[in-house]
Amino acid sequence: MLRRGPEFDRGCWRLGRARGRGSGAESGNWRMRGPMNGQNAGPRASRWKTSSTLDEQEARNTFQIKWPENYQGVAPLMGQPEVLGSYSVDEDRKFLHDESQLDFIDMEYLPVDGEKKVHMDLNKGMDKFIDFSGGTDDSFRSLLQWILSNECILKTHKSSSKLDADFISVRKTFSKIMGTPYCIRDTWTLSATEFKGSIYMKMYTEVENVENHEVDPQVKKLSLYGHKFEHFMKGGKPEENVVANEEYRCVLRMKVDQISLIHASKLDFADPEQFEEDFKDLNGFIMVSCAKEVKTPFSMKSYKKFKLNQWWIRGILSGIPRCVIGYRNDDGIVHTLKLLKTDEIPMMAEDEWKPNVCINFFVSFLNFVKSKVREDPTAVHRFHRKPKGNIHWSKLPSSSHMTLLPSWFTEQLFSSKDTKNDCE
């Protein structure tokens, strides 16, 4: 399974500019507490089906994806993520409860004045490349392994049998949901179930839903470019081996309004000048990404609407304040590095998307998931999103429960005597 490559998300449809009135100062208020306003629909909102035109049963089981204008208004408070712990994944995708995969950025590639000229040939050393073989299942499994070893710090209180989280997943799940209002051709399937008061979620993209799929060679090459770029950014040599399977992840807890989230976030690099042991936030970390050079007005519009939105969502969910972007040409040569600040990215987008829309949609959908899952907490619930369509809910047979939460997790959580003693 390949991780997302550095190219634009091809599942995103090029929507026109939103016509709602929530631009300017309002769009910058996504950290302020306030009521969600989903009533001020733009002139195009009438093109979507409403509950009155749907069958009553279908309406109850459908989350309608409306135009972004429907999610205008001041967004609920989005709290700063708190670091709970970390773990590593080695080249064989084996879970390690340590910091062995923690990497530091090479300060030579950290632009001091916001931009730096370089020459990185991403094609070199491809014959030694060890491709990424992981996917949603093993990433989710690693998070569950970490939770079992750290249930004490996750509980609402020492004697509790409930984790202090409404939703638990990996960052990719939450990122996909937040970007949905602007990527209406995306296809994904979300599975969710409740266990001991928390809702566990696992998301599959369209490619992951297709067995024995063949990856487009061009898409694969772009993904390899992304891993090779990361190799350069930590000071790796062009001819050295690149191992895409290795990861370092932090487990974070945050709140969006009154909803508490726990997620595992993949980290790229720490800043050696700002990194501190026993860190409680990710201010000392840096995201990196590789993108194609922007040369035309059309590609600039796409860059602002999709790439900037993607980077902002990753940064805001992780609490990482900076990212370094490498801009490559068609031949895979990176000539320019730019330093972007997460909080300034929405202004760079110039109203192609709005933070408050992403957050309001996110909260609205999570509340929908919670309402459906708690109708039958013992079942696995499926939320399927079709291209240019709504999100449809269905309930899987009870026998499917173990396909989401394995028995080794459900049988061991809150049952270990050693762990209980450690909590006291």
Side-chain angles (χ1 to χ4, degrees):
M1 186 67 235
L2 291 172
R3 286 191 290 187
R4 182 179 298 281
E7 193 56 85
F8 292 124
D9 187 348
R10 299 188 179 190
C12 295
W13 182 47
R14 272 70 174 165
L15 279 172
R17 177 169 301 208
R19 299 177 185 172
R21 297 182 179 179
S23 58
E26 182 188 58
S27 64
N29 289 338
W30 48 268
R31 282 197 179 276
M32 296 177 62
R33 183 181 299 277
M36 288 202 315
N37 181 3
Q39 306 302 317
N40 298 326
R44 293 176 296 182
S46 60
R47 299 181 188 178
W48 292 84
K49 288 184 178 180
T50 63
S51 296
S52 61
T53 64
L54 295 172
D55 175 83
E56 183 178 351
Q57 183 67 29
E58 181 184 359
R60 287 200 303 269
N61 298 336
T62 301
F63 184 86
Q64 298 179 58
I65 301 179
K66 306 170 185 178
W67 291 105
E69 294 97 322
N70 286 266
Y71 303 100
Q72 290 288 2
V74 179
L77 177 68
M78 194 162 188
Q80 184 74 9
E82 172 196 5
V83 174
L84 300 176
S86 63
Y87 60 89
S88 298
V89 179
D90 68 12
E91 62 180 38
D92 298 317
R93 300 300 295 171
K94 180 182 178 182
F95 170 84
L96 302 172
H97 207 295
D98 58 31
E99 295 184 348
S100 58
Q101 299 302 329
L102 171 62
D103 285 321
F104 292 85
I105 194 169
D106 187 334
M107 296 301 290
E108 177 186 354
Y109 297 127
L110 186 58
V112 177
D113 299 320
E115 183 172 319
K116 184 179 182 66
K117 295 299 180 182
V118 296
H119 182 87
M120 298 177 176
D121 187 347
L122 304 180
N123 300 287
K124 289 187 176 181
M126 283 298 184
D127 56 324
K128 300 178 181 180
F129 197 95
I130 298 179
D131 204 356
F132 182 70
S133 61
T136 295
D137 287 331
D138 70 305
S139 295
F140 186 70
R141 183 172 60 250
S142 293
L143 172 58
L144 297 183
Q145 289 178 271
W146 186 90
I147 289 174
L148 278 183
S149 301
N150 295 274
E151 65 178 56
C152 289
I153 63 176
L154 302 177
K155 291 182 177 182
T156 52
H157 51 81
K158 291 183 179 180
S159 61
S160 174
S161 292
K162 181 184 184 305
L163 303 182
D164 187 14
D166 296 313
F167 292 91
I168 298 174
S169 190
V170 296
R171 184 185 64 187
K172 173 185 173 182
T173 299
F174 298 139
S175 297
K176 268 289 185 184
I177 295 171
M178 285 190 73
T180 294
Y182 296 100
C183 294
I184 69 170
R185 280 192 175 176
D186 266 2
T187 298
W188 46 257
T189 301
L190 176 71
S191 295
T193 193
E194 184 174 331
F195 181 69
K196 300 290 186 179
S198 297
I199 296 175
Y200 294 78
M201 303 194 303
K202 184 163 59 174
M203 178 178 286
Y204 296 93
T205 60
E206 182 178 18
V207 173
E208 291 175 304
N209 282 327
V210 179
E211 294 184 4
N212 302 319
H213 64 277
E214 294 184 5
V215 179
D216 186 314
Q218 180 66 12
V219 174
K220 181 175 181 179
K221 183 175 76 170
L222 296 177
S223 177
L224 300 184
Y225 278 169
H227 293 300
K228 189 67 177 183
F229 176 68
E230 291 182 6
H231 178 73
F232 274 111
M233 293 300 292
K234 65 180 180 180
K237 305 301 180 182
E239 67 278 1
E240 289 178 339
N241 190 28
V242 175
V243 181
N245 277 333
E246 296 174 341
E247 292 181 347
Y248 178 65
R249 287 181 176 261
C250 270
V251 180
L252 306 172
R253 177 163 51 204
M254 65 185 303
K255 277 198 171 184
V256 184
D257 198 19
Q258 299 302 310
I259 302 174
S260 58
L261 312 174
I262 286 179
H263 66 89
S265 180
K266 177 185 175 299
L267 303 185
D268 296 325
F269 302 109
D271 182 338
E273 295 184 352
Q274 297 189 20
F275 176 79
E276 297 179 357
E277 296 290 344
D278 300 323
F279 51 94
K280 300 302 180 184
D281 57 49
L282 299 183
N283 286 324
F285 285 78
I286 298 174
M287 298 184 296
V288 302
S289 187
C290 189
K292 188 177 179 180
E293 293 174 343
V294 179
K295 296 182 177 180
T296 67
F298 179 79
S299 60
M300 175 58 75
K301 186 177 182 67
S302 297
Y303 170 81
K304 291 178 179 178
K305 182 167 291 186
F306 303 121
K307 295 305 288 186
L308 290 180
N309 182 248
Q310 179 186 87
W311 296 331
W312 175 79
I313 289 174
R314 290 179 183 174
I316 210 67
L317 283 174
S318 303
I320 300 178
R322 298 173 295 165
C323 59
V324 176
I325 310 301
Y327 297 90
R328 62 164 184 84
N329 61 20
D330 291 333
D331 297 322
I333 308 298
V334 176
H335 291 296
T336 305
L337 300 177
K338 288 186 179 181
L339 180 67
L340 307 182
K341 295 182 179 180
T342 301
D343 287 343
E344 295 177 359
I345 289 178
M347 292 182 289
M348 296 172 60
E350 297 181 338
D351 286 346
E352 290 293 342
W353 54 269
K354 302 180 188 300
N356 55 335
V357 168
C358 297
I359 298 173
N360 285 336
F361 178 89
F362 185 57
V363 171
S364 181
F365 179 68
L366 288 183
N367 283 326
F368 176 75
V369 172
K370 182 185 293 187
S371 68
K372 301 307 292 184
V373 169
R374 293 196 168 162
E375 289 179 4
D376 185 356
T378 64
V380 171
H381 300 258
R382 179 178 181 267
F383 302 85
H384 182 62
R385 194 273 169 87
K386 296 182 178 180
K388 293 202 274 189
N390 295 315
I391 301 173
H392 298 277
W393 166 86
S394 60
K395 186 169 65 174
L396 302 182
S398 57
S399 59
S400 300
H401 184 76
M402 290 301 114
T403 64
L404 183 58
L405 292 178
S407 58
W408 55 260
F409 178 79
T410 56
E411 292 172 1
Q412 293 182 50
L413 189 66
F414 306 126
S415 65
S416 170
K417 294 182 179 179
D418 292 336
T419 303
K420 289 179 179 178
N421 291 334
D422 291 341
C423 292
E424 297 175 353

